Amino acid sequence: AEDGIRDYKVTGVQTCALPILIFELFLAAIAGIVWLSVPDGLLRQIAYNAMFTASVSTVLFNANPLMRFDGYYILSDLLEIPNLQQRSTAMLKWFFERFVYQIKEATPPTSIRDEQAWLVVYGVASFVYRIFVFVSITTYLLGKLFAIGVRSEEHTSELQSPCNLVCRLLLE
């Protein structure tokens, strides 16, 4: 009984994320209305910055279920899968142990077929998203360093080593 109460409390806290997201988007809408209704000037610029920041940060970061912010907890609650990220990683590990490395004794983190499917889908999407963010940041930084004149081969190879590490890990 005590575990059921604890689970309910955690779920209740996680579900509070949705009103926060709605409130942030509401503030962005109010800032948008102010931006449209005032003449050019400082107030209009502040309203535009507030609208843009509140809407973009909410959609790209807080509402993104692939990052462990509000969207992650909302998705975890909707799917009724606690510890979604850790369990999806464990599911992918089991998948590789069982089907790639042919380890017959490997046991999956769950035996429920629907949950297994969700864990695999979330795990793959999360992995692809992380690689995308990593490559984007690395490419951006390489471009910035090239722009300031860092072009020697030894510096370039040092900066490319994280990319080489990721490729090696993927191919092993």
Side-chain angles (χ1 to χ4, degrees), residues 11 13-15 17 64-65 67-78:
T11 302
V13 169
Q14 292 172 354
T15 307
N64 184 349
M67 300 175 71
R68 290 194 64 172
F69 295 125
D70 297 338
Y72 167 82
Y73 293 108
I74 292 169
L75 180 65
S76 181
D77 280 349
L78 289 174

Side-chain angles (χ1 to χ4, degrees), residues 66-160:
L66 300 175
M67 300 175 71
R68 290 194 64 172
F69 295 125
D70 297 338
Y72 167 82
Y73 293 108
I74 292 169
L75 180 65
S76 181
D77 280 349
L78 289 174
L79 297 176
E80 296 180 352
I81 302 175
N83 302 319
L84 181 60
Q85 188 173 25
Q86 295 88 343
R87 294 180 69 204
S88 66
T89 302
M91 188 69 196
L92 291 179
K93 180 181 174 190
W94 170 81
F95 187 82
F96 275 90
E97 287 175 353
R98 179 70 178 91
F99 297 107
V100 176
Y101 299 122
Q102 301 292 318
I103 300 173
K104 304 288 187 209
E105 302 82 34
T107 57
T110 183
S111 60
I112 303 168
R113 290 282 183 205
D114 290 343
E115 194 170 312
Q116 286 178 345
W118 280 114
L119 291 174
V120 168
V121 167
Y122 181 83
V124 169
S126 179
F127 179 75
V128 168
Y129 178 75
R130 287 179 188 173
I131 295 298
F132 170 76
V133 168
F134 175 78
V135 169
S136 298
I137 291 171
T138 303
T139 304
Y140 174 77
L141 290 176
L142 284 173
K144 287 293 183 187
L145 291 174
F146 182 77
I148 62 171
V150 178
R151 296 184 347 195
S152 73
E153 288 299 318
E154 79 182 50
H155 292 298
T156 304
S157 64
E158 288 172 7
L159 291 171
Q160 289 175 345

Side-chain angles (χ1 to χ4, degrees), residues 4-77:
I5 292 172
R6 188 177 304 124
D7 288 344
Y8 175 75
K9 287 180 181 177
V10 170
T11 302
V13 169
Q14 292 172 354
T15 307
C16 288
L18 187 59
I20 293 170
L21 291 176
I22 292 170
F23 181 72
E24 288 175 353
L25 291 174
F26 176 73
L27 288 179
I30 290 175
I33 292 169
V34 170
W35 175 67
L36 288 172
S37 61
V38 298
D40 285 342
L42 181 62
L43 181 60
R44 184 178 171 110
Q45 187 64 39
I46 290 171
Y48 176 80
N49 289 342
M51 173 192 66
F52 185 78
T53 303
S55 61
V56 169
S57 70
T58 297
V59 171
L60 291 181
F61 297 106
N62 288 346
N64 184 349
L66 300 175
M67 300 175 71
R68 290 194 64 172
F69 295 125
D70 297 338
Y72 167 82
Y73 293 108
I74 292 169
L75 180 65
S76 181
D77 280 349

